[in-house]
Amino acid sequence: MVTDIVFWLLAILSVGAALTVVLQRNIFRAALSLVLCFLAVAGFYVILNADFLAAVQVLIYVGGIGILIVLAIMLTRDVQQGSPSNRLRIPALIAAILVFAVIAFAMVNTPWQISTAAPTVPTTATLAGRLLGEGGFILTVEITATMLLAVVLGAIVLMREK
């Protein structure tokens, strides 16, 4: 019962945040709504007992991609108005409706197999041991973090006032 209520609250939150991303004229607020949508998706993973995916969603998308987008917006000059409306708004709406119709048709006509047993063993420790343990990929993770730091510092140096 509680899971159903949390699911519907997360569903309303994620759809509302996604609509705000698309309809918001202020690009900074749209980016913050995107981060909120990413957090709602992480909440879905928690409900599904996919704890590793929830942690990755928060670390990579919320912590990495979301902050990178916000930083890029803050470093860009003259972005107060956001993107102006253009003549392709109606064709984009038609394309979005067609894509939604195809996805809805596929979802309704797919025979879904439903399992009643939830996973009982958390997967985070096993996956972390495989990724970051002996023979894992810790060096790749550290190199990637260093490269992202260099990119952010380079962007700050390029955009600062002279």
Side-chain angles (χ1 to χ4, degrees), residues 28-110:
F28 184 74
R29 290 182 181 163
L32 292 179
S33 296
L34 182 66
V35 170
L36 182 63
C37 187
F38 287 157
L39 282 172
V41 170
F44 285 125
Y45 289 141
V46 169
I47 288 176
L48 292 171
N49 291 327
D51 50 352
F52 179 75
L53 289 177
V56 167
Q57 177 77 18
V58 170
L59 288 174
I60 301 298
Y61 285 100
V62 174
I65 304 298
I67 300 305
L68 187 65
I69 289 172
V70 169
L71 182 67
I73 290 169
M74 291 173 62
L75 289 175
T76 305
R77 298 178 192 168
D78 301 327
V79 187
Q80 285 82 19
Q81 295 299 323
S83 61
S85 62
N86 57 28
R87 61 176 185 247
L88 296 177
R89 180 174 272 174
I90 300 299
L93 177 65
I94 293 170
I97 290 171
L98 287 174
V99 168
F100 176 76
V102 168
I103 292 173
F105 178 77
M107 286 178 58
V108 169
N109 292 323
T110 300

Side-chain angles (χ1 to χ4, degrees), residues 78-158:
D78 301 327
V79 187
Q80 285 82 19
Q81 295 299 323
S83 61
S85 62
N86 57 28
R87 61 176 185 247
L88 296 177
R89 180 174 272 174
I90 300 299
L93 177 65
I94 293 170
I97 290 171
L98 287 174
V99 168
F100 176 76
V102 168
I103 292 173
F105 178 77
M107 286 178 58
V108 169
N109 292 323
T110 300
W112 299 99
Q113 297 177 356
I114 299 174
S115 174
T116 58
T120 56
V121 178
T123 58
T124 306
T126 306
L127 288 172
R130 293 282 174 107
L131 288 174
L132 305 174
E134 176 113 10
F137 299 101
I138 189 66
L139 182 62
T140 309
V141 172
E142 289 177 355
I143 290 171
T144 304
T146 306
M147 289 177 65
L148 284 174
L149 177 64
V151 167
V152 169
L153 291 176
I156 291 171
V157 168
L158 287 174

